[in-house]
Structures are given as C-alpha cells and as structure tokens.
Amino acid sequence: MNSDERRQKIIDAAITVLLDKGVAASRMNDFVEASGLSKGGVYHHFDSKEDLLIGVLEYFMQEFIVIIQLEEPPVSSAYQQLEQLLHAHESMMLDLGRYTQLFIDFLSQSPYLPRFQQMIRNHYELFHSQLVEIIQRGIQRQEFLPTTNPEAIAAGLMGVFDGVGIALTITQNKIEFPHYAVESAMAMLRGILNDEFR
Amino acid sequence: MNSDERRQKIIDAAITVLLDKGVAASRMNDFVEASGLSKGGVYHHFDSKEDLLIGVLEYFMQEFIVIIQLEEPPVSSAYQQLEQLLHAHESMMLDLGRYTQLFIDFLSQSPYLPRFQQMIRNHYELFHSQLVEIIQRGIQRQEFLPTTNPEAIAAGLMGVFDGVGIALTITQNKIEFPHYAVESAMAMLRGILNDEFR
Amino acid sequence: MNSDERRQKIIDAAITVLLDKGVAASRMNDFVEASGLSKGGVYHHFDSKEDLLIGVLEYFMQEFIVIIQLEEPPVSSAYQQLEQLLHAHESMMLDLGRYTQLFIDFLSQSPYLPRFQQMIRNHYELFHSQLVEIIQRGIQRQEFLPTTNPEAIAAGLMGVFDGVGIALTITQNKIEFPHYAVESAMAMLRGILNDEFR
Amino acid sequence: MNSDERRQKIIDAAITVLLDKGVAASRMNDFVEASGLSKGGVYHHFDSKEDLLIGVLEYFMQEFIVIIQLEEPPVSSAYQQLEQLLHAHESMMLDLGRYTQLFIDFLSQSPYLPRFQQMIRNHYELFHSQLVEIIQRGIQRQEFLPTTNPEAIAAGLMGVFDGVGIALTITQNKIEFPHYAVESAMAMLRGILNDEFR
DNA sequence: TATGAATGAGTTTTCATTCAT
DNA sequence: AATGAATGAAAACTCATTCAT
C-alpha cells in the first residue's frame, strides 16, 4: 500500500469515527485505533489532528463538487437547470445523508479553525454564485419575475437544503426529509416563475 | 441575590463567553471567570459543565418560544398568518443574530448529548406541527394549492431560516441574510398559492 | 430539642450514611443531608468532619463498653467467665453486625488520624488486659494449662471475633458467622484446659 | 523496559506510597512521583487510580497464593498439615508484616468497590474451603472430635490471623503478635483434637 | 515508515470549610 | 442556632504531541 492509499485509509477510518462520535468528541486516539495503525503511523501521514480533519473535509468537498459538476452544460431553461440541480442535490442527500451531521459539525468548528472557515466559505460562495448566475439568466429569459432578488433566492435554495439537512439530524423521520427539501425548493422556484410559465 | 438570580447571572456570563469562543473552545474556567464567582460557586449552582450548557440552552429555547408565541391569534388568512410569522422570525434573527453560531454549536453537539437532543427535537417538532396546521388550514380555505404537501412546506420554511442562519456564520454578508430568508420563504409561499390569490 | 439531643441526632444520621457508603467515601455533605440540618447547622455542633467522626466513634465505644461491662462480677470459674464473655460478644455481633464494617473502616483510617488511633488503642488494650487477667486467674486456679501464654490467648480470642467480623463483611453467609466465632473461640479455650477439666 | 515490567515498577512504587500513607491518603500524584514517570505515563498503564489499586491488590493476592501453595502435598496427619500451614502463615506475617495495614485498608474499601469485593471474596472462599477440607479429613481420620464443625473452625483459624493482623496495626507490640496468632490457633486445634491424640 | 511508551500542560471536578445574613 | 451560597486549594483525569527504538 503506497503512501496515498494509506492516507486515504486513515481518512476513511476517521470518517467512521467522526460519524459515530462527532467532531468535538473524536480523539486522535480514536482515529488511530480505527485506522489500524499506530499513533506514530498516523502522525507520519498527518502532522496534526487539525491536519487530518482538513484532510477529511477536503475529501468531502471534492466528493461533493464532483456530484455537483456532473451536471451537463447549461440547458436553455434556467428553471429546468435549477430543477436538475435540486434533484442532484437530493440524490446526494440520500447517498450522503449520514454525512449531514458531519457537515454541521465542521461548520460548528469552523469559526475557530481558520483553515476550515476558508474552505467552507469558498465552497459556499462558489455554489452561491453559480446559483445566482442561473437565476439571473432566468430573469433575463423572462422565466422568472423581474422583481426576483437572485442573491436572496440563491441563499434560500441553499438554505432549504442545509436547513432540511439539519432537521434530518434532529428528527427521526429521516426518509422523507430529502424529498421535502426538493419539494419546498420547487415551490420556491414556482414562486418566482412568471405567470406565463406556471 | 437569591439562588435563581445568581443562576441566571451565571448563564448570562456563560453566554458572553460562548458567543466569544464557541461551545467547543469554552472552558469551565472561562465561565467561572466571567461569572465573577469562584469555581466552587459556579459548581454550587450547576453540577457540571454540561449542566450549565443545558441551562444556557433552556434559557435560549424559552426566549425563543416567547417570541414565537407573542403572535396574535390566527387571522383569517393562513397566508397572512405565515407572513407575519416569517417577519417575526426575521426580527428575531436580527436581534439574536449573534446567537446563530451558538445555535449551530448546540445543534452540532446534540446528537451526542441526549438531553440536548431531546430539547431540540421537542422544540423542532412543536414548531413544525404549528406550521403544518396553518398550512392545512390554508389548503382547506383554498388559499393554497390542493397538491401542497404541508409537511414538506413546513420543513422547507423552517429549513430556509435554519439554513440561512448557517450561511450567516459562513459569509460576512451578515446584514442582508435575514432578509434573504424572508424573501425566499415568501417565494415558497407564493409557489403554493392558488392562482386566484396571487 | 436541646443541643445534646441535636448532637446525637447528627451522629445517628452520620451512622446511617457511614453504614451505607463507608468512612472513606462519606462526605460532609452526606452527613449534612442526612441530618436534615444545613451545613452551618452541623458545623455549629461539630467543628470539623474529623470531630464528627470522633463523635461517632465515641458513641460506638461507649455502646460497646456498656455491653461488655454488663457482665456480672467474676464468677469463680475463669473458663465460665470467658464463656459468658464470648456469648455476650456474640449477641453484640448479632445486634451490631451491620457495624462491623464500620469498625474496620475506622480502624483502617486510624493510623492517619491520631485521635482515632489513641481511642482504639486504649479500647483494645483495656479489653486485652481484662482477658489476660481472667486467663491468668484460670492458670492459677489450674483450670488452664500452666504453659498457656495469657497474652497470646487473649490476642487470639479478640482476634477470632475481629477476624470473623471481617469475614462477615466479605462473604454473604452472614447468619452463621457470629456463631462460628464463639464456636472456634470455645475450641481455643478447650485447647488450654487442663485435662481434668475437659 | 517492556510494558509488563513498567507496570510492575509502577505497582512497586505504589506499594511504597501506600505503606507510607495508607490507601485513603494516597493521591494519584504520589504514585506518579514515586514511579518516576509523568502523570500521563502512569495513566498509560492504568486507566484510573482504582485500576492501579486493583493492580496492587492482584499482585498481593498472587504473592500470597504463591506462599500458601508452596505447601507440600497433604501429609497423612491433618493436624500436622494444619500446623505447617499456620507456621507458613506466621512466616508470611513476619515477612509481610508491613503489609497488614494495607490489607486492612483494602478490606475496608472493598464493600464499596465491587472489583475489590469479588477478588477478596474469591480469595477468602478459596482459602476457607481448603481449610474445611483438611479439617474434614481430620475428622474422618478420627484425629478431630466428631462434633467438630469444620466450617466454624476454618472461619476461626482464618479469623485469628486476620484479627491478630488487625491488632498488629493497633498496638505497637509488633514482634510478638504473629507468634500469638500461631499460638492461639494451635490452642484452637488442640481444642478439637481427639483425646488419644493430645 | 512504523511503533507505542511517555510527556505535561491543561481540564473538569471535588469538598472541607467559612461567613454574611 | 441556623442557613446555604461561596471559597479555593487540591484532586483525578485528558489528550495532542513527541521521540527513542
């Protein structure tokens, strides 16, 4: 097993620990045990605990980005493009549903870990600006009402998914919630549709 | 100062610490110093750090509940009632905006602290069921489309606020976001309005 | 309730705590709670925790002494006198069996609490010298073998009771043990009897 | 130094502390200092103070068992076998005399520490049943009176040693006491001897 | 590369005692 | 006499990190 593979093994092991105990309660020892390596072994691959967590976060973001970017190039209709994006997001939630808690955890830690902060902010702003762009195109194409505030709707769409992700960690009604996110996001989109498109 | 007053003083002091450092980075010592009491003094009122955090959370929820319940009795229009609720929620976000990170922190800890979990779950479910009820009334009054899924829209409305709250901790565009939450929530409501009410 | 009565109430309450938790694990708070008074109330009657424990110990010793001294004046036969003493001791064990653990506890603490040490030593030596005297009388009266070492047998008789008391706290066969103590102590006495008295 | 050796070194160091200060007054810090390691170093080998104390107790019992089991296989005479056992016990008391207080301490803690309780109980019952067996053999061989209660005498013999051990911690007459234990235990045995064997 | 014993500053918690009321 | 909030030194334990092997 080469160094990169070993690194990934450690990250995988760390994720199982993080899912089980949460970021705040996970100890370096837990990662070490789960990895099957020794303490020194893990430290050989990651200089510190924060480094390992960054590794996990990077792996997540990259997985997430892959999913989002699997989308085909802009279709003509902004509405349809958004609809596709939302469904892609739903699939991801269903696949990675267990990971929502982890996202929240990282988020919660981020104000005190500048490197987290920056990564998450970049990621958020990238996604937000993509959505803004699509919505603006929809307004130009007169699919959406001219009074639409693209920034607000973009924030709202992202919020629905993040917020429902949170709800997912609170209630036990796990199965329905990803679909609720799409359903209410779709309602939001209908709410900005020009009458002729309804 | 009687015991209840002292308890509240300690909670108040703890909140200033938590807002400054976050849950994960706050030490019992910090709470002690902020309270102006001695270590034993704080422990006299709270059996453990977790106990104090529960106290803070309880205080939050109760403050929050008060705000929600200040709402006047159901007006005839479900749409208008929801609109009022959303605006109340926005005000709260503006007032308590500094507390959002703290909410997220608590949320993040909740899966591993059963007492948190239960409190937050109760709170979530109470709010969710109130929203469902109003939406159902709207459907009966034919304000809302008969195809509307009240559970989904309720989850979506809550999600928008929670999700935008999260965004608030990520980006620096703090001022606009609470309004974005209302704006996109209103779009969602318009998306379920019967045509004759638009 | 006058001061002495209150003092005794506190001691009684302390005993129930000590029996439940043991000396080492009993806290001043436990005594306070059990007493029904406040912290200051207890401290008004006892200057310190050690003082209260001394109070308990004094009460015990005095109870114990009373039992021992209930014995009638020396009968002619040393053997019979010892037999009576042993039976009295057995009754006490049956009555105060639950207290054996407490004795051991105090004993265990005694090397580090000079005042305990002295009280227990005095008590032990008093009892030991009484036994030595009786045994010596038995030797003079030729009831006991002239080779008998009174010091050793006195230590042995006391040891049987203390040792069986210990066993009582270890095993669960609680009922038989006090009788075992008498039975084996009687065997010891028979072992020093002159043949003509057997 | 491997892990087992280090563990034993820590136990040895702890014993010197315990002998000096007693169980109740010994602090983890004392064990740490005596061990020459750091706090974390000791905790690496023992999960808690209780764990370390259990380690000490285990070591004791095992040392003790070794001594008992050094005995040669049953000689024909039950009386002589018991006599040998008592003398072995006496030697142990002389060798380990300093440890008696420690035994009492452990005993004193045992009702509140289930793991202690169980170890001590097992040990007691093992020793007791061995004695019962030998005494029963003596009855069958008509060395001992047929009216002898083996359970009682076994409890008595053990009691003498435990009880005299206690006395040892109370008085200062340290040198004589182990011999007193044998002497009075021998008297007890003579007390159950059949006349023809006296 | 890998091991795992060891470090030690930092953290939570305890608890006998005091003292203003 | 009695209250109980408050003290603060001391206790147990944690855990990211280092380093000799």
Side-chain angles (χ1 to χ4, degrees), chain D residues 99-160:
Chain D
Y99 298 85
T100 311
Q101 174 64 40
L102 208 38
F103 268 119
I104 309 264
D105 270 13
F106 278 125
L107 214 54
S108 156
Q109 304 289 333
S110 72
Y112 320 106
L113 295 177
R115 292 161 72 194
F116 278 32
Q117 175 100 301
Q118 200 50 51
M119 284 184 67
I120 291 180
R121 178 173 296 164
N122 288 345
H123 189 264
Y124 184 89
E125 288 174 357
L126 174 69
F127 198 22
H128 185 261
S129 65
Q130 283 178 343
L131 288 176
V132 166
E133 223 168 280
I134 301 175
I135 295 165
Q136 278 171 336
R137 195 160 58 81
I139 297 171
Q140 278 162 10
R141 288 170 51 94
Q142 299 184 322
E143 287 177 72
F144 298 146
L145 295 170
T147 52
T148 304
N149 178 348
E151 306 273 338
I153 298 302
L157 288 174
M158 291 179 74
V160 166

Side-chain angles (χ1 to χ4, degrees), chain D residues 6 37-41 44-45:
Chain D
R6 177 63 80 192
L37 288 183
S38 66
K39 208 162 264 191
H44 181 73
H45 293 279

Side-chain angles (χ1 to χ4, degrees), chain C residues 102-187:
Chain C
L102 207 38
F103 269 119
I104 309 264
D105 260 22
F106 277 121
L107 211 57
S108 158
Q109 303 292 330
S110 70
Y112 321 107
L113 293 176
R115 292 160 72 195
F116 278 31
Q117 175 101 302
Q118 201 50 52
M119 286 182 68
I120 290 178
R121 179 173 297 166
N122 288 345
H123 189 263
Y124 184 88
E125 288 173 356
L126 174 69
F127 198 23
H128 186 260
S129 66
Q130 283 178 342
L131 287 176
V132 166
E133 224 168 280
I134 302 174
I135 295 164
Q136 279 172 335
R137 193 161 56 83
I139 296 171
Q140 279 161 10
R141 287 169 50 91
Q142 299 187 322
E143 288 176 71
F144 297 146
L145 295 169
T147 52
T148 304
N149 178 348
E151 306 274 339
I153 299 301
L157 289 174
M158 291 181 73
V160 165
F161 277 86
D162 288 342
V164 171
I166 288 183
L168 208 60
T169 73
I170 298 175
T171 70
Q172 280 140 336
N173 188 10
K174 311 259 178 208
I175 309 143
E176 310 281 10
F177 272 64
H179 187 63
Y180 287 180
V182 182
E183 207 166 335
S184 49
M186 291 303 297

Side-chain angles (χ1 to χ4, degrees), chain B residues 7 60 94 185:
Chain B
R7 231 185 105 91
F60 259 61
L94 289 166

